[in-house]
Amino acid sequence: MKVGLFIPCYINAVYPEVGVASYKLLKHVGVEVDYPIDQTCCGQPMANAGFEDEAARLALRMEEQFKNYDYVVGPSASCVAFVKENHPHILEKRDHACMNSKKIYDICEFLHDVVRPESLPAVFPHKVSIHNSCHGVRELHLSSPSERNIPYYSKLRDLLSLVKGIEVFEPKRVDECCGFGGMFAIEEPEVSTCMGQDKVRDHMSTGAEYITGADSSCLMHMEGVIKREKLPIKTIHIVQILAAGL
Amino acid sequence: MSTKHTIAAARFLKNKENEAWHDHTLWMVRTKRDKMSHSLPEWERLRELASEIKLYSNSHLDTLLEEFEKNAIANGAIVHWAKDAEEHNEIVLRILRQHEARNLIKSKSMLTEECHMNEFLMSKGIDVVESDLGERILQLMHLAPSHIVMPAIHIKREQISEMMEREMGTEKGNIDPTYLTHAARKNLREKFLHADVAMTGVNFAVASTGEIVVCTNEGNADMGTSFPKVHIATMGMEKIVPNLEALGVFTRLLARSGTGQPVTSYTSHYRRPPEGQEFHIIIVDNGRSDILAKPDHIRTLNCIRCGECMNTCPVYRRSGGYSYTYFIPGPIGINLGMLRNPEEYSDNVSACSLCLSCSNVCPVKIDLGEQIYRWRQDLDKIGKASKEKKVMSFGMKFLMERPGLFNTALKFAPVVNHLPRFMVYNGLNAWGKGRELPAFAKESFNDMWKKNKVR
Ligand code: SF4
């Protein structure tokens, strides 16, 4: 099983430690993992802003980079969902049948559904609140969407249950949007900021010390609010918790 | 790069207290809806059925509407067809004139809003009275609805008390809801008694029986149609359902979704006019058949106007119904506005973080968020894309297509972390309005990998 590690642009630039933790985690659970060099971006920011065609060459590039891998695995639910849901029709216009969409996984989904580790050495003696991100929940089905009448499940909670010492909470509005939304955050800054503030407060009301989740972009947005208002809570990507001690 | 929505939303958010109240009130409705939907094990199956029935009905309008017409005529109704708003309004006026009517009492109808019917009739000397309490309040305040199910949700009782003191002579400063409701009831009672003609909307029209169904919580449609000798019911042509079995699927979903009630207090079926009375049904197209020609957007015709996509929308709750430029706000309004006139209503397309909550609550499974994403792709073609966004997207694409350049940019990016605050957090930086910028890492993942630091 050959896994190509997919590191989206902003993780590359802002959160390389999330990439490192992902690599260590995948190595630890025994998969053969490699990082195709010089990755840039999946094209989501342009497409969500209304310029889908500008993502075409980036999508093609990703196809080329990952063509020799059995799986593409990345620590960003939103980017993974974009490749899965949108690369196929973007590439169709270029007469290319998308391969990545069939083999791409968010790292939590991959661990939970494919690797299924029974234990991890991680210890994290803290209270954390799970951030159920929109695209993680409603496109990748990492947990049951609050709108739907289906039995509760949460792949993130399942994975966190392998960590020793941790206490896991979820906010009251369990999967309401944090207001990031890519270009939305700067096109509608007032609404977006208000959503971010409300979401951070909801997480804080659980008593958690950390907000954790599978989407660095949401975490980045909430971190922006936390730092501006100097709030007593931190953000951490779930792979950093799962890889604690590796 | 602000759209009209952005600007209006910012204004709404200035009153933080009011915004928080609006957000909480509508979230409460969402919570009530969740309770209801979770109490029916067959909920998801019902949604699926509802969606399929609507897709079927809307692709068989030719036969279903004719079947409906035939049965309605056999029941004694008079059926009219209107291709657009103008024809609709003319038909209503003609009926009113035939009966020398001056007073029209009506229950809630988004279609009459769509046709600007009230303004038209009033300009012709007809006194139009809204009988739904929320609509009545707005009518007396000369305001438009801000929500399709709870039209006056944005109005506080202090404002209502002031208006009622002016219009009905209620006690100054009395904001007791029971007192105000009684006064409004008394005032409306007069209007009910003296109306010449009653008008209602239509929630569902049943092809196999030729009857129409009107759902209200106040019973105002029933009261309104009880006195006058003439009843006009007006419906968009997508209100058709094949038969009573199909109807049952929708009446189970409508109130549970819209307000979190098991059923609306009144679900009234109108089939035959009583002896000596007239029952008119107007079937309106007004752009609906054009939507049928757009496969990407055809599902918007599924809409049963339950309003739940507004209640769940994190943007709607925090920006209010008036921040949208189309008369229907929220996710469904963004889409219907674009279908009405993309040049005119493109300002609403920014009002979406693509969270997809709307697509998941919608009882008839309209892919609301996905359609908004698709509308965004069209903005450039119709010359409505924001220039700044275009430049930014192009700049990003240019950089991302050149990994060498991207890697160099990442090397220099940390410099930004150390710029003086006034250079980073100024008016040009929309992110900086309420959030600190993320700090660039000293070394990118790509660089760490190349230097063999990842292991
Ligand atoms: S789009 Fe769906 S959720 Fe929104 S009003 Fe229509 S039926 Fe209700």
Side-chain angles (χ1 to χ4, degrees), chain B residues 19-268:
Chain B
E19 175 280 317
W21 173 84
H22 191 260
D23 169 58
H24 278 115
T25 307
L26 290 162
W27 183 261
M28 234 161 60
V29 184
R30 161 74 208 272
T31 314
K32 278 168 72 185
R33 172 262 175 212
D34 288 354
K35 251 205 192 127
M36 277 296 150
S37 64
H38 281 85
S39 66
L40 288 191
E42 67 273 34
W43 183 257
E44 297 301 330
R45 174 86 189 112
L46 276 177
R47 286 177 73 226
E48 189 55 45
L49 271 173
S51 163
E52 280 169 19
I53 295 170
K54 278 286 177 184
L55 287 175
Y56 170 84
S57 306
N58 289 328
S59 56
H60 291 77
L61 285 178
D62 51 346
T63 49
L64 288 176
L65 286 174
E66 280 186 8
E67 184 188 348
F68 173 76
E69 181 186 37
K70 197 176 98 234
N71 289 326
I73 292 173
N75 292 338
I78 304 164
V79 178
H80 310 259
W81 298 80
K83 77 167 186 300
D84 55 22
E86 207 184 321
E87 271 193 21
H88 168 264
N89 294 348
E90 288 295 344
I91 292 168
V92 177
L93 184 64
R94 205 167 59 228
I95 301 170
L96 292 171
R97 292 244 160 105
Q98 273 163 11
H99 293 273
E100 289 170 14
R102 296 197 57 85
N103 299 308
L104 178 71
I105 186 108
K106 67 185 284 283
S107 69
K108 199 166 153 24
S109 152
M110 288 315 285
L111 178 59
T112 56
E113 295 279 343
E114 179 183 321
C115 296
H116 301 288
M117 185 196 75
N118 290 11
E119 298 90 310
F120 171 79
L121 292 180
M122 291 201 278
S123 76
K124 303 287 178 193
I126 309 287
D127 184 26
V128 183
V129 174
E130 293 286 352
S131 62
D132 172 271
L133 183 55
E135 292 283 354
R136 179 72 179 147
I137 290 167
L138 294 174
Q139 184 179 34
L140 292 171
M141 294 177 91
H142 307 287
L143 290 172
S146 75
H147 186 291
I148 62 173
V149 171
M150 297 165 279
I153 191 72
H154 61 299
I155 311 264
K156 292 287 177 47
R157 44 176 147 139
E158 287 76 10
Q159 293 164 277
I160 296 171
S161 163
E162 251 169 58
M163 177 276 289
M164 287 182 57
E165 183 201 337
R166 193 175 62 237
E167 297 286 337
M168 303 171 195
T170 54
E171 282 167 34
K172 189 179 171 63
N174 193 335
I175 56 164
D176 177 49
T178 313
Y179 169 76
L180 293 176
T181 313
H182 274 293
R185 189 166 184 261
K186 211 168 123 203
N187 178 277
L188 263 178
R189 188 57 53 102
E190 282 302 303
K191 304 284 182 188
F192 278 122
L193 288 171
H194 295 113
D196 304 311
V197 172
M199 188 163 193
T200 65
V202 171
N203 289 90
F204 307 100
V206 185
S208 66
T209 63
E211 75 202 66
I212 61 141
V213 180
V214 182
C215 305
T216 72
N217 269 333
E218 296 165 21
N220 55 311
D222 310 73
M223 180 70 111
T225 50
S226 295
F227 301 104
K229 299 251 173 296
V230 183
H231 171 193
I232 308 172
T234 183
M235 58 178 266
M237 61 187 198
E238 84 288 10
K239 297 291 174 201
I240 196 83
V241 297
N243 49 38
L244 290 168
E245 285 77 9
L247 175 70
V249 173
F250 296 101
T251 46
R252 295 191 75 200
L253 286 165
L254 179 64
R256 285 190 171 90
S257 296
T259 48
Q261 300 164 273
V263 70
T264 42
S265 308
Y266 298 83
T267 302
S268 307

Side-chain angles (χ1 to χ4, degrees), chain B residues 225-226 228-229 231 270-279:
Chain B
T225 50
S226 295
K229 299 251 173 296
H231 171 193
Y270 293 90
R271 193 179 284 189
R272 273 184 199 98
E275 258 320 291
Q277 299 193 10
E278 274 180 29
F279 178 32

Side-chain angles (χ1 to χ4, degrees), chain B residues 361-378:
Chain B
V361 281
C362 178
V364 285
K365 296 186 95 164
I366 305 178
D367 50 344
L368 294 153
E370 291 84 347
Q371 292 196 37
I372 296 173
Y373 172 88
R374 292 201 284 274
W375 282 121
R376 285 193 183 158
Q377 309 307 323
D378 290 349

Side-chain angles (χ1 to χ4, degrees), chain A residues 42-89:
Chain A
C42 65
Q44 175 169 222
M46 302 75 152
N48 284 0
F51 306 97
E52 203 176 66
D53 289 342
E54 306 208 329
R57 280 177 63 183
L58 298 173
L60 275 174
R61 208 177 120 76
M62 273 190 73
E63 287 281 296
E64 186 58 30
Q65 283 179 316
F66 289 98
K67 71 170 184 243
N68 294 324
Y69 296 93
D70 304 316
Y71 294 98
V72 184
V73 176
S76 170
S78 186
C79 306
V80 167
F82 181 74
V83 171
K84 197 166 173 158
E85 300 288 327
N86 291 306
H87 274 197
H89 68 253

